[in-house]
Amino acid sequence: MSNYYSPKEITNQFAASGIYKSSLPTFKFIIIAILGGAFIALGGLLSVMVAGGMPGVGTDNPGLIKLIAGMLFPVGLIIVSVTGADLFTSDCTAFTLPLLEKKLRITSFLKGLLLSYIFNFVGTQIIAYSLSSHLGYFSKEPWQSYLFHYAEAKVYQDWVDVFIKGIGANWLVCLGMFMGYAAKDITGKCLGIWIPVMIFVTLGYEHSIANMFFIPAAIYSGAGITWSDFILQNLIPATLGNLIGGGVFVGCVYWYLYLYKQEGS
């Protein structure tokens, strides 16, 4: 007997998760969305505290620092998956699959994504302000310089570049969730999620929910970034890219490969 599910079985599981979430009472969905944002932010906080606390290493080995951050950040998505929390970016696939199967109405699709996005933001702010900036985690060096530089680099770049990086980020995040569904044990699930997410963070792609932690945490700690710059220059293009990366590159592709039935077939 195989110790992992087939791609078709995984696709059906991913679709079933979207149907399940869409059937939840609104208040329960809000709670798991807040938790999802908080867990992603905790992964971000961990990566900043470790990778940002190694300035000497980073000076001579910048790629190594990126890799360390990439290796640590995925714990957030692992917690999301294992505990049944909700994440907007993985919903881009989870809701697209049943929508294309005509098992989810467009109104439920849009409502689910909107609620997830809004309350993921609430969850990220709990960590960004109350459990990190407010505690002075980023008021000291070398963490302040690391986070400020990291956040400024995300905000002050070409809009189209952020959009394209957003596609790459959520393509990999949703592939991570896909690979997590392949596993029949907790170790396999963790490893399956970890690999693609580690890649996206190391490569510097743009994940809208993660950025809801990194950039506001910098703003709360005194970085010279305005909320309007964050929203217009980073959050909007990253979100649009994430929608395509998860909805099209994973949702539409795997629906066509494993769920689409041609007429007469």
Side-chain angles (χ1 to χ4, degrees):
M1 180 182 293
S2 173
N3 64 349
Y4 61 91
Y5 294 103
S6 70
K8 184 172 183 177
E9 290 172 319
I10 297 165
T11 306
N12 277 304
Q13 288 186 61
F14 217 153
S17 73
I19 295 171
Y20 167 74
K21 288 180 182 179
S22 69
S23 70
L24 287 174
T26 299
F27 187 63
K28 282 190 175 182
F29 185 80
I30 286 171
I31 292 173
I32 62 172
I34 292 172
L35 292 174
F39 296 155
I40 289 297
L42 285 171
L45 176 59
L46 175 65
S47 71
V48 170
M49 295 306 292
V50 178
M54 306 170 69
V57 175
T59 301
D60 297 325
N61 304 278
L64 180 59
I65 292 298
K66 291 177 182 288
L67 177 62
I68 290 171
M71 292 173 67
L72 295 172
F73 179 84
V75 299
L77 187 59
I78 290 170
I79 297 172
V80 167
S81 178
V82 173
T83 64
D86 177 73
L87 189 64
F88 164 79
T89 42
S90 61
D91 284 347
C92 292
T93 294
F95 290 155
T96 295
L97 290 168
L99 177 70
L100 294 173
E101 283 196 286
K102 299 181 181 179
K103 294 181 179 179
L104 188 68
R105 290 183 293 181
I106 187 66
T107 51
S108 297
F109 172 83
L110 294 173
K111 176 185 175 182
L113 288 181
L114 181 61
L115 286 176
S116 180
Y117 192 79
I118 291 171
F119 289 99
N120 277 177
F121 178 81
V122 173
T124 58
Q125 300 319 290
I126 292 171
I127 307 303
Y129 181 75
S130 299
L131 294 181
S132 53
S133 298
H134 180 68
L135 298 177
Y137 283 11
F138 308 128
S139 62
K140 303 173 184 177
E141 296 296 349
W143 296 281
Q144 185 177 87
S145 294
Y146 176 88
L147 179 63
F148 284 14
H149 175 75
Y150 192 68
E152 288 164 359
K154 285 182 168 294
V155 172
Y156 300 116
Q157 58 181 317
D158 185 78
W159 198 96
V160 175
D161 287 350
V162 178
F163 171 73
I164 295 172
K165 289 179 180 180
I167 295 174
N170 210 29
W171 188 4
L172 287 162
V173 166
C174 291
L175 285 176
M177 291 297 290
F178 191 94
M179 291 172 62
Y181 278 118
K184 295 184 178 181
D185 60 69
I186 191 70
T187 302
K189 179 181 283 288
C190 293
L191 184 61
I193 294 170
W194 181 82
I195 294 170
V197 178
M198 176 273 293
I199 294 172
F200 111 69
V201 177
T202 302
L203 295 180
Y205 292 157
E206 299 292 341
H207 185 271
S208 58
I209 309 304
N211 290 352
M212 289 177 182
F213 165 74
F214 291 121
I215 301 172
I219 293 173
Y220 295 140
S221 300
I225 301 170
T226 65
W227 282 96
S228 61
D229 282 349
F230 162 47
I231 293 168
L232 296 175
Q233 292 295 118
N234 182 275
L235 191 58
I236 290 175
T239 301
L240 294 174
N242 289 169
L243 283 166
I244 294 173
V248 177
F249 282 60
V250 181
C252 291
V253 168
Y254 287 95
W255 167 79
Y256 178 74
L257 290 174
Y258 299 113
L259 302 180
Y260 173 65
K261 298 178 179 63
Q262 293 181 316
E263 293 184 11
S265 62

